[in-house]
């Protein structure tokens, strides 16, 4: 691409295409990706990505919580030059946001985890690869050595050593330990839509495939033709269940047995940076730090675990206060540049997004994810100007008032 075809987002290293490919031009906001993905994906698959649990109170509450704050801009601060660069865990990123771990990405996007990792790398942001994924972690680490790996571990020393050892051998430098899944969420919406892991072949599933030919040929059959039937590759040291099967059961056992001794064990064997994700109480944040966590992930899993759980934004300031110098990474419900800046104003060092990047990968592959990153980066940049911010280190709670 020639220089004339590119434009730089202020404060970024990477040059982004001046305009997205024509098929993405109608996508102006992150929510537009969701509407497009709903058309593109079979119902059961869209239900998996979009859904929360039970009555979706937690999922909706995450968005509603952002409504509780309004900005107080500052004026005449000479904001012609702005930078979003943010240092997290010893690395400088171009933007204060990254891609949260999202499971089975290769089911809703062709080579999903790789696409997300490539787009993140090209845009100077972090991407955490989910442990519930259908592409081998080694393949992602080989292409994107700066990607993070997120593990779901069982409360069993042997399997912990296997998966953590495998992530280290693959070359990952940052491990995210997700701790808010002691039991599977009650995803009634998935059951109603016909989603399960593995997917069970049925006439209605076949019809969903046929009536969504873009996904059927562009994602699912293309994957099978080129790479064989996808399997869960990274929950353990060994390969797990296939994504489509009439009889195989997935092993979710023993996650409920996980306790602080396992975190101690992991800290002992994992030499890289360690993020504990799914913290909602300041005492747990303190304890995770005492156990050697390098960052705390304040998250309710996008409202996909416990319904009626508190919104992470509501507890963010208390957790930030408990963490001292240890950075807090916020996720759950971010959709706009203003959301990013609210979370940062309330003390988060960094934020992550799940669903929007999943939808972007579905409908647009790597270009789609890059477009999503560019949309959010441009919003953050414009909002910074209007708030009177040259640099994100200048943001504080003083820029917010309760609505
Ligand atoms: C489709 C999907 C799959 C997810 N899979 C995982 C996962 O494998 N591991 C994990 O720690 N979190 C997982 N999450 C939670 C995300 O990491 C993140 O906490 C959440 O998506 C943030 O909320 P948002 O979607 O509103 O941005 C998943 C979320 C979604 C939407």
């Amino acid at each position: 691409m020639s220089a004339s075809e590119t434009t730089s987002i202020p404060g970024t290293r990477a040059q982004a295409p001046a305009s997205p490919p024509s098929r993405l031009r109608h996508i102006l906001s992150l929510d537009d990706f969701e509407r497009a993905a709903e058309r593109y994906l079979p119902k059961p698959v869209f239900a998996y990505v979009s859904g929360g649990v039970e009555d979706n109170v937690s999922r909706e509450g995450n968005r509603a919580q952002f409504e509780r704050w309004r900005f107080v801009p500052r004026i005449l601060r000479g904001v012609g030059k702005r930078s979003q660069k943010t240092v997290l865990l010893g690395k400088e990123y171009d933007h204060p946001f990254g891609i949260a771990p999202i499971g089975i990405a290769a089911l809703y996007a062709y080579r999903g985890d790789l696409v997300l990792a490539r787009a993140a790398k090209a845009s100077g942001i972090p991407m955490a690869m989910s442990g519930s994924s259908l592409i081998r972690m080694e393949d992602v680490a080989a292409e994107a050595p700066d990607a993070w790996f997120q593990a779901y571990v069982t409360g069993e020393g042997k399997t912990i050593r296997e998966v953590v050892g495998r992530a280290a051998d693959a070359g990952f430098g940052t491990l995210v330990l997700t701790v808010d899944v002691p039991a599977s969420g009650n995803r009634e919406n998935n059951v109603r839509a016909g989603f399960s892991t593995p997917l069970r072949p049925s006439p209605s599933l076949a019809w969903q495939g046929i009536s969504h030919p873009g996904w059927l040929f562009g994602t699912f059959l293309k994957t099978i033709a080129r790479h064989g039937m996808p399997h869960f590759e990274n929950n353990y040291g060994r390969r797990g269940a296939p994504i489509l099967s009439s009889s195989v059961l997935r092993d979710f056992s023993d996650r409920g047995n996980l306790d602080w001794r396992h975190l101690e064990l992991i800290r002992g064997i994992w030499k890289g940076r360690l993020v504990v994700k799914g913290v909602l109480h300041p005492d747990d944040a303190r304890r995770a730090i005492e156990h050697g966590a390098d960052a705390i992930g304040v998250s309710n899993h996008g409202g996909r675990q416990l319904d009626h759980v508190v919104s992470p934004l509501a507890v963010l300031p208390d957790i930030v206060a408990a963490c001292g110098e240890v950075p807090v990474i916020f996720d759950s419900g971010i959709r706009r540049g203003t959301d990013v800046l609210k979370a940062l104003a309330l003390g988060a060092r960094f934020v992550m997004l799940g669903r929007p990047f999943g939808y972007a990968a579905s409908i647009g592959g790597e270009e789609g994810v890059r477009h999503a990153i560019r949309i959010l980066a441009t919003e953050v940049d414009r909002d910074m100007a209007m708030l009177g911010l040259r640099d994100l280190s200048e943001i504080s709670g003083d820029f917010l008032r309760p609505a």
Side-chain angles (χ1 to χ4, degrees), residues 101 103 130 150 152 178 277 299 301-302 304 331-333 335 354-355:
S130 163
Q150 174 267 324
Y152 281 129
T178 297
K277 172 176 183 275
S299 165
H301 216 107
R304 296 163 71 84
D331 78 50
S332 296
R335 297 294 179 270
R355 294 179 182 87

